[in-house]
Structure formats: structure tokens, C-alpha cells
Amino acid sequence: MQTRTLTGFIATFGLATLVTATALAQGKPGGVANAIIQPEPPGLMLGLVQNGPTQMVSGNIYEGLLRYDAKLNPMPSLAESWTISDDGKVYTFKLKQGVTWHDGKPFTAADVVFSTEFLKQTHPRARANMAQVDKVETPDDHTVVFTLKQPFGPFIGVFEVGSMPMIPKHIYDGTDYKTNPANNTPVGTGPFMFKEWQKGSFIKLVKNPNYHVKGKPLLDEIYWHVVPDAAARAVAFETGKVDILPGGSVENFDVPRLSKLKDVCVTGKGWEFFSPLSWLWLNNRQGPTANKQFRQAVMYAMDRDFAKNVIWNGLGNVATGPASSSVRFYTDDVPKYPYDPAKAKALLKEAGYKGEKVRLLPLPYGETWQRWAEAVRQNLQDVGINVEMVATDVPGWTQKTAEWDYDIAFTYLYQYGDPALGVARTYVSSQIQKGSPWNNVEGYSNAAVDQLFADGANAFPDPKRKDIYAKVQKTLVEDVPVAWLLELEFPTITRCKVKDLVTTAIGVNDGFRDAWIDK
Amino acid sequence: MKTFWRNLLRNRGAALGLVVLAVVLVVAIAGPMLFPNSPWRMVQRPFLPPMTVPGFLLGTDALGRDVTAGLIHGARVSLIVGLVSTLAALAIGVPIGAMAGYFGGRADDALMRFTEFFQTIPSFALAIVLVAILQPSIYSIVGAIAIVSWPPVARLVRGEVLSLRAQEYVQAAIVTGHGHGWIIWREILPNTLSPVIVLASLMVATAILLESSLSFLGLGDPNLMSWGYMVGAGRTVMRQAWWITVFPGFAILLTVLALNLIGEGLNDALNPRLARER
């Protein structure tokens, strides 16, 4: 196992950090962290519930076999070392010795095997990943061997706590998972233990005194405050009731104001694993958007720098293509689409566009998205596209996109660090299925792209995958199946005295292990 | 007619209201000629305070759109919604009220229970539900406002018709064998006109407020710039940029106030008892 050294620490603008499993810069022990959780999670049993807020709280209660740094390199967590066989099919994990669950029982290889079985029933993403696994074996109590049916490049990237949390076998084995009373008092191996949850008010976690990493965690307690109103959350931060606003806790327009306060630090890091990428679905089946030149014109017509600077307050990056830049095998060696209204007009003419009405469906997630849709509508109208905005709510948006009843629609999706996990689903023709807003909603179908994605998932080793994905990105960007907008960043706003909170690819979700408060 | 205008203008409030409404009307009709570009166009840097850059008297909003252009284009939307939905409400309320009052008996019972059904539901809540179901657009908004505002018209007209029905000239018309439709249309309705006009002027004001409230909640027509939309979109940044909300809010206040003053004035001018006292 290679040792990693501390190369930096999260300062005002959050340098990407590599962290050793054992020690961080002289953090001061003690203290209470007050954070916002928005919205209130429906439950904290991470094996059963995987929505955003649950991952954020429970990622500090449960642990996965691995953690990932901002470059998505695996780091030890419950597994202290791992090897991958030369044919890319056998993954052997050596588990850490002396790890105990919060109730004192030892954590062993049997728990890992149990967790894979558990998650296959309850966790859609884990189910898809584990479908690649032929068998799981445990030669001894601290060794787990996954044998795959065929090489699957993303496999080393699926052991993060939200994707594959370890579930205690001694509590869940033989019970009905969904109704097990232990779901209300989650037991994990993580740095913090569940203490109390006053619904509608706060969730309290306390330090795990027997945590398997010496000297961690440094904080004594974490309070996650539930504050339903966005303005009230901003006020809670201003008055000092809370010191940590995870991404998405306040409206975007409040971010510049709050970041300008004294002793406030902002970072856009900690979303590298999720790498949320926003784009416009362009209906490839019908209407003007079925024409490739029209779709290219849409790309040229949009002033995406304006959207980044004005609507997202400068956070994020203009997307270059189907994969965001933190996804493995990303390449920017693709055709570029700068803001060029003249070129857009020329392309529209070539496409033979005659002013047919085009419906634009905004994403009903609040003010930011509404303003963004208005700006895009204006950009498109400026080059002569006859855009009509359709008003909608969340169920309406879901239904219209899932049933393909749209011309242009806003969306954003997580990419989970690997093109085979989060990118392919948007472009391969096998994912053209009515009823889901998360698959190939645009109806793009290209046999060459299907083949490349299929090859890419199972190619071995990595350089082969890299070549395949470089090709597929080039083809897609040329075809513009969807109009890529921005790689989104959801800023984490903290009081500067909160240190080392965002150090991994999932940020706050597993960040409290290393966090400390400077007094 | 002359005395009517004299009476109306003698009322200072009404005169003031007429002046304000005339200004709003002129702006709504002529304004888009002065600002031919779409009010959605992003023309300057965002959050420009009022009177800092020539040509942007009232500043720009969160996306750099001209607040003045928005106000002027919004006047048209507000007035159209106010007038059309009031006309639509009259078109529903007057016939129902007239029939209920004229025919009486079971028809009256049925029509009034139907009216009460609409009256018992809080009107704004009903408007929200209707617009949400029909998808927000200028048509669904006008329709929703008309549907929640006709019951008072029906009740008013019914009351008037009920009392006129017993008048001798109506009895005479019946005896001479005229049809019911002719009698209602020619003999009764013209005499209910003055209270209906007063009510209608107040309804326009209410309709403008309703439209603004719907837009404020994000249920406006997303393709039309309206005052309510401007207030709603600007409220989130009120602490950084007061002017985005204050100007359209003030426009709503002035217009609604003007219409209410006119309504008061009409009430006084058209009321024969008050006229005699003068």
C-alpha cells in the first residue's frame, strides 16, 4: 500500500487535498459543530435511504471500504489495502483490524458480504454495480475477494460510503430490513454516533470514542439543524446559530452576500464524486431539435459565461461535453462551442429553420433555475428561435421529460466519477425508455456510440478505456444530443474557524471525520 | 350624461383616479412603442441602481434587464388581465343573476346554491388551484380570475332584478306578450347598470391584484412581463436591490388605488339618492 502525504490543506478557496489515513495537520480537539441540513432527511439508515440529506448526515455515521480524494483516487477507509488482479477481474480488500461497530461488536469480512446482499435489495445504484460481481469470498475474517464476471473499470470507484455503506450483519441478518427498529438508531463504524433526532428541529451526533483512526474525530458533537425556510437559514448563519452551510442550504443569490461576511470561507469543492452537470434535453425525435445543425445552433446561441457569472455567481465551469472535468477519462479535446450568435444564425439558416415554435421547460427548483431559463430563452430568441416557456412544477417537469413531451428542457444529473456509471446512461440507445427522467430522455441513438460505451465499461486496463472514452466524447460533442450548460458547484459556506471539513470527493458527506474547530 | 361627468369630476378622489388611470392607459398603449425591445432582454450589467447610467432611469434587475421597460410592458399585461377578466366575470355573473332574479322559485334556488358553492371557497385559493391545474398562461389566469369573481356580480344583479321584476312596467311588458329574454335584456338590465358599473370598476382593481399575486407566487404567464412577476422575482434580492421590487410594487399600488377612487366616485355620481342631496 502506498503512503500518501499531506500536500495541502483546505484554505480559503479549498485546495485539492490528499490526506493520510492516520494524521492531519495539528487539529485541535473538542468543540461542537453546528450545521444546516436541508431538507430534513426522511431517515438516517443509509442502506435504505440514499437521498442527499441522508447521505450528508449518515456519511459520518457509516463508512464504506474506501474514501476518495478530490481526484477520485481511492484512499483507505475500512479497507486498509487492496489489490486488483492483472486481468482486472479479482479485487482483494484487506480490512482494517480492530474496527468495531458503535455497539462494540467487531467489524469483519462477514459484514462486507452481508452488506453487498443487503444493498442489492435496497440500493438501485449498488444493485447495478454489484450485478458485475460473480462471487464474493472471505478467505479470512479480514479479507474480502470480489470476483467479477468480466473486467469493469469503474469498480474501484464504487466503494464510497453513499454508494456502498457497510451495514452491521449482527443487527439486520434475518430481519425485515425496512421495518427493523434499529433503523431509527443507526449503527455504523463511522467517526460519529447517532444520539438524538428531534424531528423538525435537529439531529445530534456524538463522537465515537472507539473510532478506529487514532486521534479522530476531533469534534465532540455535531448538531444538524433543520430550518425549513431559505431566508431563515441564511439568517441562522449570519447570527452565528450555525457555522456550516452545506451546498444547497441557501439560495444562490444569498451566496455572495454571505461570503462577504467577516471570517466566512467558501469552497466549491467536495462535489467531485457527484460532479453535477447541467444541460438542456433537446428532443432528438421531433421538431426543429431533431436537426443536428439546429442543436449546434443552440450551443452557439447560449452565453454560458453569462450564466456562470451572473446566475451562478461565478461558481462552476462551462461544460465542454458529456463528461464533467472531474469525471475519469474526461477530455477537452472536443469541438468547442463558444458564444457566437452569428454562427448560430447561420446554422439555423442551413438547418432550414422557419420559426416553428419551440417549447422550453425550466427546471422547477427555485429562483436560480427560473432566472436561468429566462436568460437562455432570451439567448435563443436573440438568434431567431421562437421559444415559448412552459410553466411547470416538479411533478409536471418529471412527467413531461419522462414522457418525452417537450422540445427543450433543463436538467442536471450526477455523474459518479466514471463515464460508465453516470455518463453512458444519457446517451446509449438501450436507455431509451419512457417513464424515467434520468435515462436517455433526448432519444439520441447512435450504434457507434452504443458500442463505444459498451466497450469502455469492460475494457482493461485504464489506458484502453481512456482511448475509447476520448472517441465517444468527440462524437457526442459533434452531434450535440443535448446542449451542455455548466458543471455545477454547490458552495459549502463555513465560518473560517471550521477547518478541514471538505477534504474528499464527497465533501461534507464524510468530512466531519477530519474536521476541527480553531478556538 | 353631462351631469354625470360633472358629478364624477366634482369628486376630487375620482378626478385624481381618472388622471392616474389615464396615464397608465397611455403608457400601456404607447409605451411599447418607446421601448420596442423585449423587456426580457438583458441589456446592461445586473443590479444597476436607478439613475446611475443614462437610459436606465429605474436601474436593472438581477439579470441586467431594464426595470423601466419591464414596468411599461407590465402595464399592458396588468390592464388587459384586469379588463378582460372583469368582462368575463360579468358575462358569467350577469346572466346567472338575471335569470335567478327573474324566474325565481326553483331556478333561483338552483342558481343561487351554485353561486354559493363558488362563494364558499376562498377565492384566491381557488384561483391558485385553477391556474396550477390548467398550467399558467394568460388565458388560464384570466379564466381563473373570472371564475372566482363572478359570484358577487350574480348576487348583485339578482337582487336588483328581483326588485325590478315587481315593477309595473315589467308587469306591463309581460302582459303585452314579450318574450322573457327581450324583457330581461331591454327592460330590466339597463336599469341595473349603475351598481354593476360601480362593482365592475372595483373588480378590475381586484383582478389586477389577483394577477399580481399569482405572478408573485410564480404562477404568472412565464412569457409575459408583469408587475407581479417583477415583484416576485425581485423579492429574493430585496436586500441587495430594493428598486427591482419597489417600482413595480408602487405601480400596482397606484393603479389599484386609482381604480378604487374611480369606483367610489362612480358610486356617488350614479346613486340617485346621493345626487338629490347634492
Side-chain angles (χ1 to χ4, degrees):
Chain A
M1 177 203 153
Q2 61 216 108
T3 325
R4 290 179 171 82
T5 46
L6 182 69
T7 59
F9 67 97
I10 295 293
T12 312
F13 291 101
L15 299 163
T17 318
L18 296 173
V19 186
T20 56
T22 44
L24 246 175
Q26 62 288 352
K28 294 176 189 158
V32 177
N34 287 290
I36 285 286
I37 189 69
Q38 161 60 25
E40 186 165 23
L44 291 177
M45 170 47 187
L46 194 49
L48 295 172
V49 191
Q50 289 100 31
N51 70 2
T54 302
Q55 292 201 34
M56 206 170 271
V57 176
S58 300
N60 297 291
I61 300 174
Y62 293 92
E63 285 182 301
L65 292 182
L66 301 175
R67 302 168 91 217
Y68 299 88
D69 68 23
K71 297 254 179 279
L72 301 180
N73 297 309
M75 302 190 290
S77 180
L78 287 172
E80 59 179 9
S81 67
W82 56 94
T83 54
I84 304 172
S85 67
D86 289 339
D87 63 356
K89 284 165 70 170
V90 183
Y91 286 69
T92 309
F93 291 91
K94 280 275 171 209
L95 302 184
K96 206 165 174 183
Q97 304 273 350
V99 178
T100 56
W101 295 98
H102 291 161
D103 57 7
K105 297 272 191 325
F107 165 78
T108 66
D111 289 308
V112 181
V113 178
F114 176 75
S115 300
T116 57
E117 290 308 313
F118 183 105
L119 295 171
K120 268 196 235 172
Q121 296 180 33
T122 59
H123 191 316
R125 209 147 42 82
R127 187 184 309 135
N129 295 334
M130 288 303 130
Q132 301 281 344
V133 176
D134 184 34
K135 54 182 193 254
V136 189
E137 291 159 310
T138 53
D140 63 61
D141 263 2
H142 291 90
T143 309
V144 183
V145 181
F146 290 87
T147 307
L148 308 190
K149 294 169 186 156
Q150 54 191 331
F152 183 56
F155 198 66
I156 196 63
V158 304
F159 293 97
E160 161 265 342
V161 60
S163 310
M164 213 176 134
M166 288 299 121
I167 313 291
K169 181 179 183 187
H170 64 278
I171 292 178
Y172 285 96
D173 199 14
T175 67
D176 179 8
Y177 304 152
K178 294 222 152 89
T179 58
N180 192 316
N183 292 340
N184 298 323
T185 51
V187 170
T189 58
F192 288 90
M193 305 192 294
F194 174 79
K195 176 77 180 175
E196 188 184 1
W197 183 356
Q198 291 208 358
K199 295 265 158 92
S201 178
F202 67 86
I203 299 168
K204 181 182 178 185
L205 307 184
V206 296
K207 178 179 184 162
N208 174 3
N210 304 315
Y211 188 55
H212 56 83
V213 180
K214 253 211 148 44
K216 293 287 169 64
L218 291 157
L219 295 167
D220 290 333
E221 294 174 344
I222 310 173
Y223 281 92
W224 295 92
H225 296 272
V226 179
V227 182
D229 178 63
R233 289 193 290 276
V235 170
F237 183 75
E238 284 173 278
T239 57
K241 184 188 172 198
V242 301
D243 295 321
I244 300 161
L245 294 172
S249 333
V250 291
E251 295 278 359
N252 268 356
F253 51 78
D254 268 338
V255 172
R257 187 169 58 84
L258 295 177
S259 0
K260 276 189 212 114
L261 298 177
K262 211 168 142 262
D263 291 329
V264 167
C265 292
V266 181
T267 177
K269 305 292 167 201
W271 290 86
E272 293 81 2
F273 177 75
F274 302 107
S275 43
L277 183 68
S278 57
W279 62 77
L280 300 174
W281 293 117
L282 301 173
N283 199 330
N284 285 218
R285 302 173 186 85
Q286 63 193 32
T289 45
N291 185 312
K292 179 167 128 185
Q293 282 159 323
F294 182 93
R295 299 199 299 266
Q296 290 173 335
V298 169
M299 286 296 280
Y300 283 117
M302 287 189 297
D303 189 350
R304 294 179 292 164
D305 283 306
F306 174 87
K308 177 191 157 183
N309 293 327
V310 173
I311 296 161
W312 289 89
N313 302 308
L315 290 165
N317 292 301
V318 171
T320 57
S324 86
S325 53
S326 58
V327 170
R328 285 191 191 93
F329 314 117
Y330 162 84
T331 175
D332 63 356
D333 179 22
V334 292
K336 296 288 190 303
Y337 295 95
Y339 176 48
D340 189 346
K343 191 148 190 186
K345 278 182 194 160
L347 277 165
L348 286 177
K349 209 168 196 185
E350 266 179 63
Y353 175 66
K354 297 203 181 53
E356 294 95 332
K357 193 169 84 183
V358 178
R359 293 167 296 163
L360 173 67
L361 195 65
L363 191 62
Y365 287 179
E367 295 291 317
T368 303
W369 291 90
Q370 192 62 33
R371 294 295 91 75
W372 199 359
E374 287 164 7
V376 163
R377 173 181 62 185
Q378 194 57 41
N379 281 157
L380 298 182
Q381 284 177 346
D382 284 347
V383 299
I385 301 176
N386 178 11
V387 186
E388 188 185 88
M389 189 160 359
V390 182
T392 190
D393 50 7
V394 175
W397 177 89
T398 310
Q399 199 223 339
K400 284 198 172 84
T401 48
E403 299 297 317
W404 310 340
D405 177 21
Y406 70 93
D407 295 320
I408 301 180
F410 271 81
T411 194
Y412 80 91
L413 288 181
Y414 287 166
Q415 300 203 308
Y416 304 114
D418 193 288
L421 302 180
V423 180
R425 59 177 172 171
T426 307
Y427 307 102
V428 297
S429 52
S430 60
Q431 285 285 343
I432 302 181
Q433 280 161 18
K434 256 192 189 178
S436 163
W438 327 117
N439 57 17
N440 185 343
V441 168
E442 80 276 16
Y444 175 75
S445 171
N446 180 339
V449 167
D450 289 352
Q451 190 57 49
L452 284 169
F453 271 120
D455 294 347
N458 299 119
F460 187 82
D462 280 358
K464 272 195 198 158
R465 299 190 69 206
K466 191 172 160 72
D467 291 345
I468 294 169
Y469 286 122
K471 249 187 246 168
V472 86
Q473 288 177 63
K474 218 167 195 166
T475 312
L476 286 173
V477 174
E478 167 68 25
D479 278 355
V480 196
V482 302
W484 302 284
L485 298 165
L486 296 179
E487 299 172 1
L488 302 179
E489 271 182 12
F490 301 120
T492 304
I493 306 174
T494 59
R495 214 74 65 191
C496 289
K497 64 178 181 181
V498 180
K499 310 277 189 196
D500 296 330
L501 176 61
V502 176
T503 57
T504 68
I506 61 173
V508 178
N509 290 14
D510 66 354
F512 282 96
R513 189 185 91 156
D514 298 327
W516 54 284
I517 292 177
D518 203 0
K519 276 165 279 202
Chain B
M1 201 63 195
K2 232 181 208 164
T3 46
F4 161 74
W5 280 109
R6 202 178 324 117
N7 286 343
L8 185 62
L9 290 176
R10 197 185 291 152
N11 182 329
R12 249 186 246 150
L16 187 69
L18 278 173
V19 171
V20 173
L21 190 65
V23 170
V24 176
L25 264 174
V26 168
V27 163
I29 293 164
M33 283 172 232
L34 299 172
F35 289 83
N37 280 332
S38 161
W40 297 98
R41 191 178 281 264
M42 297 155 279
V43 285
Q44 249 290 357
R45 65 187 166 80
F47 296 121
L48 203 63
M51 299 202 274
T52 44
V53 169
F56 296 92
L57 192 63
L58 303 181
T60 61
D61 75 356
L63 287 185
R65 300 176 294 213
D66 188 352
V67 173
T68 322
L71 267 189
I72 282 168
H73 285 258
R76 180 173 277 199
V77 175
S78 290
L79 285 187
I80 287 177
V81 169
L83 287 173
V84 175
S85 56
T86 300
L87 288 177
L90 291 178
I92 307 171
V94 170
I96 288 183
M99 282 193 287
Y102 182 82
F103 294 110
R106 275 202 200 137
D108 187 18
D109 280 344
L111 288 170
M112 281 304 109
R113 292 307 84 76
F114 181 66
T115 310
E116 276 157 15
F117 172 74
F118 281 89
Q119 270 194 310
T120 47
I121 307 171
S123 61
F124 188 53
L126 180 60
I128 290 177
V129 170
L130 287 171
V131 172
I133 290 173
L134 298 171
Q135 299 297 347
S137 74
I138 185 95
Y139 305 106
S140 65
I141 291 166
V142 167
I145 296 176
I147 284 173
V148 301
S149 36
W150 67 266
V153 181
R155 296 211 74 102
L156 175 80
V157 172
R158 172 181 173 271
E160 293 287 321
V161 172
L162 217 52
S163 71
L164 292 173
R165 173 89 168 72
Q167 299 276 325
E168 279 157 8
Y169 72 93
V170 176
Q171 299 297 332
I174 294 172
V175 170
T176 49
H178 285 297
H180 296 307
W182 193 89
I183 296 170
I184 295 175
W185 184 246
R186 296 294 297 271
E187 300 290 340
I188 301 179
L189 281 184
N191 291 304
T192 65
L193 212 52
S194 26
V196 170
I197 286 177
V198 173
L199 183 65
S201 72
L202 297 173
M203 279 168 66
V204 175
T206 318
I208 290 176
L209 272 183
L210 270 175
E211 190 275 336
S212 299
S213 315
L214 287 169
S215 297
F216 176 81
L217 294 177
L219 288 168
D221 188 323
N223 296 298
L224 290 176
M225 180 67 81
S226 82
W227 291 339
Y229 162 82
M230 294 174 78
V231 176
R235 82 178 191 282
T236 48
V237 286
M238 201 140 102
R239 289 170 70 170
Q240 291 102 306
W242 56 268
W243 58 91
I244 305 175
T245 29
V246 165
F247 292 125
F250 198 61
I252 296 171
L253 173 80
L254 267 186
T255 312
V256 171
L257 185 68
L259 282 161
N260 275 299
L261 288 173
I262 295 170
E264 288 281 312
L266 283 174
N267 191 27
D268 294 352
L270 291 171
N271 191 326
R273 246 166 292 150
L274 286 178
R276 235 170 275 132
E277 282 164 21
R278 265 195 288 266

